[in-house]
Amino acid sequence: MPKQALTSFAGRVAGVQDPRFTPQLIRWFVRRYGVNMAEAHNPDIASYSSFNEFFTRALRDGARPLDDADFICPVDGAISQFGAIEKDQIFQAKGHRYSTTALVGGDGALAAQFENGSFATLYLSPRDYHRIHMPCDGRLTRMIYVPGALFSVNPTTARGVPGLFARNERVVCVFDSASGPFVLVLVGATIVGSMATVWHGVVNPTRPGKVREWRYDDQEIVLKKGEEMGRFLLGSTVVMLFPRGKLEFNPAWTAMRAIRLGEAMGYKPD
């Protein structure tokens, strides 16, 4: 399947502003995927000017209360996998692992900070809310765009494509926090038109085909726990990395469990 061409076409369609076509497309999508528009800040399908505006819709106030845990879930979706990083290896699915260095675009020094640390891979399905929020307070230090493939990221593909999340296009966001550094990676996929952050806007509009990096050491970009940090223009996956000994996961979490923004993800060890 020509994934690049299909994704580019989908991105163009999602940006079309047509008062006849757009509401029909959104209504079909809502029916097809069972989207709960009662949770939307704006539940009126006919008022969205484009599919992208609908897809990145805000939630109504109070729809996702924030737990008082040290680390909260940053998205709606499902847990793909989570747990301990084994030296530098992240578990993807049975028979498949990939390295932290590959995930962050080849920066071994950055990856080394998460040796034997913790990871969480969270999958956003088409029906989910597609804004990404902060799991804890953090100060942005770097952002790295890593070009790559555009495989689907659904659970079936995760079981079948080795190194999937370190092969797909991705945006690596590096933060400092009271518990040390952490990384939040937005992973692209087939049909994902682009990825955006609140401090930069759309990161990959032209898909330049090479690694790009932005540093923010001289800026004070601080985001609070629960605050929006980015969004997918069509859905995908988030991978997070935390240093060793800084996070104990919520004991209620299990692989493939449904999750909601704001629920407890983990706690600082005693």
Side-chain angles (χ1 to χ4, degrees), residues 46-269:
S47 68
Y48 289 99
S49 63
S50 70
F51 184 82
N52 268 340
E53 185 182 10
F54 152 75
F55 197 80
T56 58
R57 65 196 175 276
L59 293 173
R60 62 174 172 77
D61 293 344
R64 295 292 183 275
L66 304 183
D67 195 275
D68 63 358
D70 298 310
F71 302 91
I72 62 168
C73 181
V75 294
D76 282 4
I79 301 167
S80 178
Q81 298 292 340
F82 73 103
I85 301 168
E86 296 184 5
K87 193 174 180 180
D88 68 341
Q89 295 293 299
I90 300 172
F91 181 69
Q92 176 178 302
K94 185 177 181 180
H96 299 306
R97 295 179 183 273
Y98 60 96
S99 75
T100 53
T101 301
L103 178 69
V104 301
D107 188 329
L110 173 59
Q113 297 179 76
F114 305 101
E115 186 169 306
N116 295 313
S118 303
F119 80 96
T121 304
L122 311 177
Y123 169 67
L124 288 73
S125 73
R127 68 176 292 173
D128 291 318
Y129 168 67
H130 278 83
R131 298 191 185 190
I132 306 147
H133 294 247
M134 294 290 287
C136 59
D137 294 355
R139 179 182 179 273
L140 179 71
T141 60
R142 300 168 66 187
M143 181 173 72
I144 308 163
Y145 167 76
V146 186
L150 290 171
F151 293 106
S152 170
V153 291
N154 63 41
T156 300
T157 311
R159 291 190 294 269
V161 177
L164 172 64
F165 304 117
R167 293 171 64 181
N168 269 16
E169 178 182 50
R170 53 207 179 277
V171 175
V172 180
C173 303
V174 185
F175 295 91
D176 276 339
S177 76
S179 298
F182 71 92
V183 166
L184 199 158
V185 183
L186 285 61
V187 182
T190 309
I191 307 296
V192 178
S194 54
M195 295 169 278
T197 63
V198 297
W199 60 84
H200 183 94
V202 176
V203 179
N204 58 333
T206 58
R207 291 193 161 88
K210 61 182 180 180
V211 174
R212 296 188 62 193
E213 181 174 355
W214 295 262
R215 287 188 173 267
Y216 303 95
D217 305 287
D218 60 344
Q219 299 181 49
E220 194 68 14
I221 301 176
V222 177
L223 300 174
K224 297 295 186 181
K225 181 172 71 174
E227 192 173 350
E228 181 187 346
M229 61 76 57
R231 61 185 66 176
F232 289 112
L233 280 72
L234 303 183
S236 192
T237 289
V238 167
V239 181
M240 290 176 289
L241 306 180
F242 298 92
R244 181 179 183 178
K246 300 299 184 181
L247 167 66
E248 290 183 355
F249 283 104
N250 181 348
W253 272 33
T254 56
M256 307 314 298
R257 174 185 181 273
I259 47 172
R260 285 163 67 93
L261 165 67
E263 71 174 63
M265 180 174 72
Y267 305 88
K268 296 176 183 177

